[in-house]
Amino acid sequence: EPEVTQTPSHQVTQMGQEVILRCVPISNHLYFYWYRQILGQKVEFLVSFYNNEISEKSEIFDDQFSVERPDGSNFTLKIRSTKLEDSAMYFCASRLEGPLSGANVLTFGAGSRLTVL
Amino acid sequence: AQKVTQAQTEISVVEKEDVTLDCVYETRDTTYYLFWYKQPPSGELVFLIRRNSFDEQNEISGRYSWNFQKSTSSFNFTITASQVVDSAVYFCALSEEMDSSYKLIFGSGTRLLVRP
């Protein structure tokens, strides 16, 4: 069964460092997402990406965050200067496009745990 | 405004008990979709079920069943004869057709602990 793959599974970084989290969505999916889950809390929407541009971003997704689809397969989330409060699990997800795209299941990767010291 | 509410933060049951996880949603869209995801201790998000707003038929899959009621904006999830392996956090989520990004909006989750 096709899956969304994320790397790294766990990254530890120092405050102020740049971090790049990588995702390979399912190949025929056209909607891509990043979500964040602070330990023990809800899964929060960060950003959606469609047709090579951001279609929506949440208030969490400030200027420190950026996303890119550099080569048609990878989908990356960059945090420019990490803060302690960026420590969380980051989930990548993708969705198929269709006549009723909202009906299509969001398939999530296993997550990348980011620890900022 | 909270679009998906899971009022039960944590539920603890003994194995073989039935348990119902509540989910109440809010939307102005006439076409929307409701989902349940399971997050086991290993951390991944596992899709369980999707229900369309125009299909109120309840669904049963083995020990799992879902009760969708538009009149009360609820989409509850029942596990019959619970097992220890059911221990996880369960998230209810909403996707709206008028949302051009088709993002999922999650509830805060219900942690289910099934004790042997």
Side-chain angles (χ1 to χ4, degrees), chain A:
Chain A
E1 187 168 323
E3 59 180 27
V4 175
T5 57
Q6 289 186 242
T7 55
S9 55
H10 188 192
Q11 181 157 354
V12 181
T13 191
Q14 295 291 324
M15 192 169 57
Q17 294 295 304
E18 177 183 283
V19 160
I20 297 176
L21 305 179
R22 292 183 166 79
C23 170
V24 179
I26 294 173
S27 61
N28 61 342
H29 286 190
L30 296 179
Y31 290 94
F32 312 115
Y33 306 84
W34 283 100
Y35 282 80
R36 179 183 83 173
Q37 185 181 32
I38 294 171
L39 186 63
Q41 298 188 23
K42 69 189 294 183
V43 180
E44 302 174 290
F45 169 74
L46 290 179
V47 65
S48 58
F49 193 87
Y50 173 72
N51 203 23
N52 287 319
E53 61 182 19
I54 291 175
S55 52
E56 186 177 348
K57 58 185 179 180
S58 72
E59 57 191 30
I60 302 169
F61 194 88
D62 61 23
D63 292 344
Q64 292 300 312
F65 290 89
S66 62
V67 289
E68 202 173 45
R69 189 159 159 79
D71 57 12
S73 62
N74 290 287
F75 179 51
T76 62
L77 173 69
K78 182 193 289 187
I79 309 174
R80 212 177 322 276
S81 177
T82 50
K83 303 188 282 283
L84 294 176
E85 54 264 38
D86 293 327
S87 294
M89 180 75 91
Y90 289 82
F91 290 102
C92 174
S94 68
R95 189 202 287 270
L96 199 57
E97 184 178 31
L100 292 173
S101 292
N104 294 322
V105 173
L106 224 61
T107 302
F108 286 85
S112 293
R113 180 167 299 285
L114 176 64
T115 302
V116 182
L117 303 176

Side-chain angles (χ1 to χ4, degrees), chain B residues 18-52:
Chain B
D18 298 347
V19 58
T20 295
L21 310 182
D22 298 334
C23 173
V24 174
Y25 63 92
E26 178 188 329
T27 179
R28 293 182 190 168
D29 204 347
T30 54
T31 302
Y32 55 90
Y33 312 93
L34 297 162
F35 300 79
W36 277 94
Y37 281 80
K38 175 181 180 180
Q39 187 175 43
S42 50
E44 70 271 27
L45 289 164
V46 179
F47 165 73
L48 294 177
I49 191 168
R50 176 197 65 210
R51 179 54 81 223
N52 306 330

